[in-house]
Amino acid sequence: GFPIQPMTVESFIINPGERYDFTLVANQTIGNYWIRGKTLEMNRVTMAEAILRYDTAPENDPVTTRKDCKVADVCLVLNCPFQFYPASENIKCVFFDQLRSTIPNDPAPEVVEGRFSEYFLNFFSEGMVNGKMFKFPSVAALSQPSAITTQCEKCKGMKMMQMCMCTHTLNLDADDTVQIVLSNIGSQAGMSHPIHMHGHSFYVLKTGFGKYNATTGRFLSQTEDLACLGSLPKEQNMCDEVIWANQSWRNGNIPGLELNNPPRKDTITIPGGGYVVIRIKANNPGLWFLHCHIEFHATHGMGLLLNESFANVPKVPPGFPTCSNFEKVSSANVDSKETSVFAADTLFSGNISVTIFWIVVGVSAAVILSLIVALVIVLRSSRKAKTKGSFEAVACYHAEPR
């Protein structure tokens, strides 16, 4: 985490992947008070509660309620993923980009001609970024990059508005200033997406919202700052290619950027129909996952790899182990006759194939079952032979009438 200039708020919103440190000023009358967390859900409320108990207070459950937000005493809520609460609730949103860093001499990375790159990443539906669903490589990508066979080159010939599943990467050059516009627009924009970046804490320069009704708080339309390529209007478009609606905003010329004391973090929420502008300095070589922190979305492909300064990644040590999936094995390591029969199910050299394993299990189960049946037959035959022609006394009992 990074320190920010103090701001007093009534409460704050925590999205998946986010963390907050805060100072609670305990200056109330000695007693017991509820600390509450509740979900932002429609038609139901899920609560989490804890008791703040002052020293010498009796051990009773609190009876406190949330602060009464009034016109003359509006409640401030930090980190809203939307622009307005209904006006009748007397709650005002404070957006994360309105916070300011307290770190001295830590401005956003500058735009340097020839060393600046700007990328647009649109998080769409429940599992796509720029029309691509992320497919994890079947090898360790950092140590075996040449063995990756699922790159996105195959997607280049596809028509716009078609989904492609591949190992989506964004190639970053060493020490470049990288500006990324994280957007949430198109025909399925709506749910806000908390986007988490590995390998960096980025500078949050600006949040852009769509249009809202300031009285009801209801969403009206998507941001007009961004445009989607293609003939379809934004509300009917997958928006797998996004640009600035005003091309004069390119190369870091976006109005309203906070460049002097921007806050830093590694997870930011993109509002539905809106966007967030972030920057990093590409000075941490590696492969870094950038993904939605809603687990359902991440596992369905809403992510990509930042392939950062890969030439500067340290070389793999001699003898470093390799790894892969369980699907195929090189023909050089197995008998050709076995390969032709079990190639699709064979594990790596030195291990038994999956098919052989299940054949052995099946045969063993059949043998055991046959032995059990035979034993039952023998026991029944033995019992019949023992009791044939003999008389066995049986005790009879008469139940009492009810």
Side-chain angles (χ1 to χ4, degrees):
F2 293 83
I4 59 172
Q5 294 178 18
M7 174 177 287
T8 301
V9 297
E10 185 265 346
S11 56
F12 49 90
I13 296 173
I14 308 175
N15 297 288
E18 292 186 313
R19 292 86 66 202
Y20 280 91
D21 291 334
F22 64 93
T23 300
L24 178 69
V25 181
N27 59 358
Q28 300 300 302
T29 304
I30 291 177
N32 301 300
Y33 297 83
W34 285 119
I35 298 179
R36 294 183 179 87
K38 68 176 184 177
T39 54
L40 293 175
E41 294 180 281
M42 296 290 289
N43 302 321
R44 81 170 197 176
V45 175
T46 303
M47 297 285 291
E49 296 180 323
I51 297 176
L52 173 64
R53 198 184 309 279
Y54 280 70
D55 285 343
T56 72
E59 293 193 6
N60 300 326
D61 284 353
V63 294
T64 56
T65 59
R66 183 178 179 176
K67 176 183 175 180
D68 186 14
C69 306
K70 301 177 181 179
V71 175
D73 188 15
V74 173
C75 294
L76 297 183
V77 175
L78 176 63
N79 198 36
C80 298
F82 41 79
Q83 201 164 18
F84 298 108
Y85 277 87
S88 59
E89 296 188 22
N90 299 316
I91 298 175
K92 182 180 178 180
C93 286
V94 178
F95 310 115
F96 190 83
D97 65 330
Q98 294 177 304
L99 301 177
R100 295 293 175 262
S101 171
T102 58
I103 304 175
N105 302 317
D106 188 34
E110 295 181 342
V111 174
V112 179
E113 187 175 355
R115 304 310 305 268
F116 175 80
S117 300
E118 183 176 55
Y119 300 96
F120 294 83
L121 300 178
N122 189 43
F123 293 78
F124 182 82
S125 183
E126 295 177 344
M128 284 188 285
V129 182
N130 288 2
K132 300 178 179 67
M133 295 182 69
F134 184 77
K135 181 179 179 64
F136 282 93
S138 60
V139 298
L142 192 66
S143 59
Q144 299 166 249
S146 60
I148 299 176
T149 59
T150 52
Q151 295 94 334
C152 292
E153 277 74 11
K154 64 178 181 178
C155 304
K156 292 181 179 179
M158 298 180 67
K159 297 179 180 179
M160 190 174 290
M161 300 291 290
Q162 286 183 316
M163 180 270 293
C164 183
M165 180 177 288
C166 60
T167 303
H168 191 182
T169 58
L170 194 64
N171 299 324
L172 310 180
D173 293 329
D175 295 320
D176 273 8
T177 293
V178 178
Q179 180 166 288
I180 304 177
V181 182
L182 307 169
S183 62
N184 181 2
I185 61 175
S187 59
Q188 295 191 37
M191 177 184 291
S192 56
H193 295 293
I195 305 303
H196 177 64
M197 180 185 290
H198 293 239
H200 286 273
S201 290
F202 44 75
Y203 297 80
V204 181
L205 309 186
K206 181 179 181 178
T207 299
F209 289 90
K211 289 185 177 181
Y212 288 79
N213 185 309
T215 301
T216 65
R218 289 192 175 277
F219 176 81
L220 298 176
S221 61
Q222 300 182 34
T223 178
E224 295 180 353
D225 296 344
L226 298 174
C228 304
L229 297 186
S231 58
L232 293 175
K234 189 183 304 176
E235 288 74 17
Q236 300 173 26
N237 200 320
M238 283 177 58
C239 294
D240 51 8
E241 291 188 51
V242 175
I243 59 173
W244 289 118
N246 185 340
Q247 287 295 286
S248 67
W249 288 20
R250 298 173 59 192
N251 300 318
N253 293 318
I254 309 163
L257 295 185
E258 171 55 39
L259 301 174
N260 296 321
N261 299 100
R264 294 179 64 180
K265 68 202 309 277
D266 61 15
T267 307
I268 193 72
T269 295
I270 317 173
Y275 63 92
V276 178
V277 182
I278 64 173
R279 276 189 198 175
I280 62 170
K281 188 81 168 178
N283 55 8
N284 190 18
L287 285 173
W288 306 113
F289 200 27
L290 175 71
H291 62 95
C292 180
H293 220 293
I294 297 173
E295 187 173 4
F296 177 76
H297 293 180
T299 55
H300 276 69
M302 187 173 277
L304 54 81
L305 286 174
L306 299 179
N307 183 17
E308 183 176 344
S309 318
F310 201 83
N312 296 335
V313 174
K315 301 299 180 184
V316 176
F320 192 79
T322 60
C323 64
S324 184
N325 60 20
F326 297 97
E327 293 176 358
K328 293 182 179 181
V329 66
S330 170
S331 59
N333 296 330
V334 279
D335 181 73
S336 59
K337 182 177 180 181
E338 182 184 343
T339 303
S340 63
V341 179
F342 301 117
D345 295 320
T346 303
L347 298 174
F348 291 109
S349 179
N351 293 327
I352 187 172
S353 75
V354 174
T355 302
I356 293 176
F357 171 78
W358 285 114
I359 289 174
V360 172
V361 170
V363 171
S364 301
V367 171
I368 293 171
L369 183 61
S370 299
L371 290 174
I372 292 173
V373 172
L375 181 60
V376 170
I377 293 172
V378 170
L379 290 175
R380 286 184 175 180
S381 299
S382 175
R383 184 176 179 182
K384 287 181 180 180
K386 179 180 178 181
T387 59
K388 188 176 181 181
S390 61
F391 176 80
E392 185 173 342
V394 179
C396 297
Y397 300 92
H398 182 71
E400 293 291 333
R402 295 185 179 181

